Each structure stands twice: as structure tokens, then as C-alpha cells.
Amino acid sequence: MDAKAFASIVLAKRSSLVHRYLRRCAISLAKIFEQYPDRRYIMFGGKGGLGKTTFSAATAYYLAKQGKRVLVFSVDPQASLSDIFKKDIFGKGPTEIIPNLYAQEIDADKRIREYQQEIRQKILDMYGMEAIPEEIESYIQAAAAEPAMEESAIFDEVVDIVVKGDYDYYIYDLVPLGHALYYLSMASVYDAWIGKITGLRQQMREYDQVAAVMRREKEMDEDAILNELLYIKERINKSSSILTDKEKTAFFFVITAEQMIISDTVKAAGLFAKFDVPLSGYIVNRVLSDSLKGQDIPEYLKNRLTMQEHYLKVIDETFSGQILASVPEMERDVTGLAMIEKLAAAMF
Ligand SMILES: Nc1ncnc2c1ncn2[C@@H]1O[C@H](COP(=O)(O)OP(=O)(O)OP(=O)(O)O)[C@@H](O)[C@H]1O
Ligand SMILES: [Mg+2]
């Protein structure tokens, strides 16, 4: 056998491996959704630019076509759902894309402006003022500029969306990993903080009981505060319990066949485990077509294919049995419904 014939046999064997790999993966993601209909909160996590928004949109599209009512929403101020659906949805609430498919980009600034207005109104009502004094106004402005304010506004909005329960599926279009972790940890920090305050308030109420008889009105005020705190606590509990509920949540990691992505994802998965985020599996994105191999292709592409083959093996070993889908590199970026449909077909 000459060298060329030998090479073509090796190539054919390799490409059938990739084929088998793609086929084996392709069945599983659709099955996961079939098998676990209660997992209604769907998240795609991963490093920046790997395809979280793309997969969120494609999954929303797939589920909507199955007749499920789906909301895909983004908490990222630099959200790109508008780009992928080619529709300006920023700050416009849930917007229908196709029947059953709604998309929403949260406008945190708007929510903050609403907070500010609420505070102004409360001050005006409480003190019977005509206008907000300048000093107080500048304080309100300064508080709104705090980064924590934006986080809390986003958090609040997410809680609102989820607590309302209008949809069969909620797909969170997450921000890159570090931020998502911060978001999750915030839920537990919030929870601990509010738990402490409500505990204190409850204790004080007991000590206060005798005195309170004489201060009837004051006690009523404090009860209102306590009730407000309990209400917030309940909302936060609800949203963080959803995030960490194995029965209701599916969290998928998006990866690509590259060294850094694989090792960072292994680390991140460890951190997520600490927050008890239920991990449903991994999806490999941007797999180069093996059909390229038989063709006359430039050296750099050959190198990429060889590298990919190696790292697909590493992925298989590292995340054995947890790879649910493998999505090919498309001929162009994924925007617009036709491309989303194509990607969804590859995914499911
Ligand atoms: N399989 C694919 N084939 C071709 N292009 C793709 C594929 N997957 C993603 N892309 C493109 O890659 C770019 C990044 O994808 P996407 O916005 O989904 O990543 P992301 O993980 O949401 O990024 P970020 O971390 O910034 O939110 C987009 O232009 C998208 O169209
Ligand atoms: Mg994104």
C-alpha cells in the first residue's frame, strides 16, 4: 500500500470517529429534556464568547417549537439577545419572537430609576414635603451609582420574572463564568444577611413587648419593617432555591476543544459544585467538520483539525459520560431565526 492510500484510510477512520462522536452526543440533549420535564430553569454557563447566548436562543427556539411556552432572558447590560434575534428588545419586557418564544433583556438602570423615584415619594409622603431637599437628592444619586445597586436591581428583576411563573421554561442567558459565580454567591450572601437581620428584629420584638404596649404606633412601624424583610427573604430564598434545585434546574457548561477552555471549565465546575449548582452536562461547541480532512486545505486548518481531535479525546476522558451534544462550527455567525433553527437542529 502506498503512503497516500494509507493516509486516506487513516483519515477515513478518524473522520468516522468524529462522526460517531457527533452522533452519540446528538441524541442525548433532546433526551435530557424529555427525561426531566420538571427542569424548567435552564442555564448555559462558560467562559466568554463560547456560545452561551447562542445556545440559550437555540434551546428556547427548540422548546418553543415543541409547544412549550419559553422565556429566554438576559441580565447582562451588554446583552446580545437583541443581536441574535435581530430585534431591539432591551428594556421592553418579554417580547414575542415566534409563537411561544419570548425574549427579554433586563434594563437595570430603569429599575434603579424606579427605586429612586419610590424613595423620593416615600420621603415626600413621610415628611409632607413639597420637594426633595438638595442634600437628600444628592445622597439618592450617589446611592444609585453604587455597583451593588445594579446587582440588586438585576437580582430583583430576575426574582420578579421567576416568581410570576408565566412560562413552562425559563432560560437564563448568563454572563461569563466569574460573574455568574458572583451572582450565585450573592444569593447566599443576601440570604445570610437578611436572615441575621430578621433574627435580630424578631428578638428585639420579644424584648420590646412590654414597652411596646406604651408605644403602640412605633411597634406597628417596626412590624412593617420586619414584614418587609421577611418578604424579601422569602423572595430570595425562592430564587436561590430554584438555582440550586436539582429537580428544577439544568445547568450546562459550554466548552470548546481547546486546552485553556477545558482546564478552566474543570476549575469552574468545582466552584459551582460548592454552591450546589446542579450540573446537567457539557456541550462542545464549534467542532470543525471532519469532511474538511479529505480536502486540499491549508496547513493551519490541518493543524487545527489535529489539535481538535486531540482535545475532543481529552474532553471525552475528562467529562466522560457527561457530554450531551457537540455542535459544529457553522459557515457564519449565528444571528436571525434561520441560523438559530439550524443551530438548534445540530444541538438537539
Ligand atoms: N457553532 C457556531 N458556529 C459559528 N458561530 C458561532 C457558533 N457558536 C457561536 N458562534 C458565534 O460566536 C459568537 C459568540 O457567541 P455567543 O454570543 O453565543 O457567546 P457567549 O458565550 O454568549 O459570549 P459572552 O460570554 O460574551 O456572553 C457569536 O458571534 C456567535 O454567533
Ligand atoms: Mg452571551
Side-chain angles (χ1 to χ4, degrees), residues 77-143:
Q78 275 101 48
S80 42
L81 287 173
S82 284
D83 296 331
I84 195 164
F85 290 119
K86 290 186 170 168
K87 195 169 191 167
D88 179 20
I89 59 168
F90 184 71
K92 295 192 170 140
T95 307
E96 190 180 42
I97 305 291
I98 55 169
N100 285 325
L101 169 53
Y102 294 80
Q104 180 172 5
E105 277 177 354
I106 292 169
D107 180 353
D109 287 341
K110 188 169 148 200
R111 183 100 187 190
I112 292 174
R113 287 196 297 276
E114 283 164 11
Y115 280 163
Q116 288 177 309
Q117 201 40 45
E118 245 174 65
I119 293 169
R120 284 190 197 101
Q121 200 53 53
K122 272 189 186 151
I123 293 173
L124 292 178
D125 292 348
M126 265 168 74
Y127 298 102
M129 289 174 175
E130 298 269 306
I132 300 287
E134 218 169 281
E135 266 174 53
I136 294 178
E137 180 56 36
S138 66
Y139 179 77
I140 292 173
Q141 296 291 343

Side-chain angles (χ1 to χ4, degrees), residues 198-309:
T198 44
L200 267 175
R201 289 276 348 119
Q202 241 143 9
Q203 261 180 19
M204 275 168 70
R205 187 155 68 167
E206 280 161 28
Y207 297 146
D208 257 11
Q209 244 162 21
V210 185
V213 180
M214 302 184 297
R215 293 186 281 114
R216 200 70 220 148
E217 258 176 49
K218 187 153 186 279
E219 194 211 10
M220 271 167 64
D221 271 357
E222 285 177 354
D223 269 1
I225 296 169
L226 182 60
N227 286 338
E228 174 88 16
L229 283 169
L230 285 171
Y231 170 74
I232 297 173
K233 185 175 159 66
E234 191 220 341
R235 276 162 60 91
I236 288 175
N237 273 347
K238 179 143 186 179
S239 93
S240 63
S241 72
I242 284 168
L243 286 175
T244 54
D245 186 340
K246 275 197 175 49
E247 306 295 317
K248 292 184 184 145
T249 302
F251 186 96
F252 304 99
F253 265 116
V254 185
I255 54 175
T256 53
E258 282 165 62
Q259 168 60 49
M260 286 253 289
I261 305 296
I262 298 170
S263 51
D264 285 357
T265 304
V266 169
K267 275 185 228 150
L271 283 171
F272 271 65
K274 271 196 195 153
F275 288 106
D276 287 329
V277 177
L279 189 57
S280 294
Y282 299 81
I283 303 174
V284 189
N285 195 13
R286 311 198 85 143
V287 179
L288 294 171
S289 164
D290 51 303
S291 69
L292 286 168
K293 276 185 178 148
Q295 298 169 29
D296 185 20
I297 53 170
E299 201 59 30
Y300 88 90
L301 205 48
K302 277 185 200 146
N303 287 339
R304 285 213 67 97
L305 284 167
T306 312
M307 181 190 91
Q308 168 175 294
E309 196 160 352

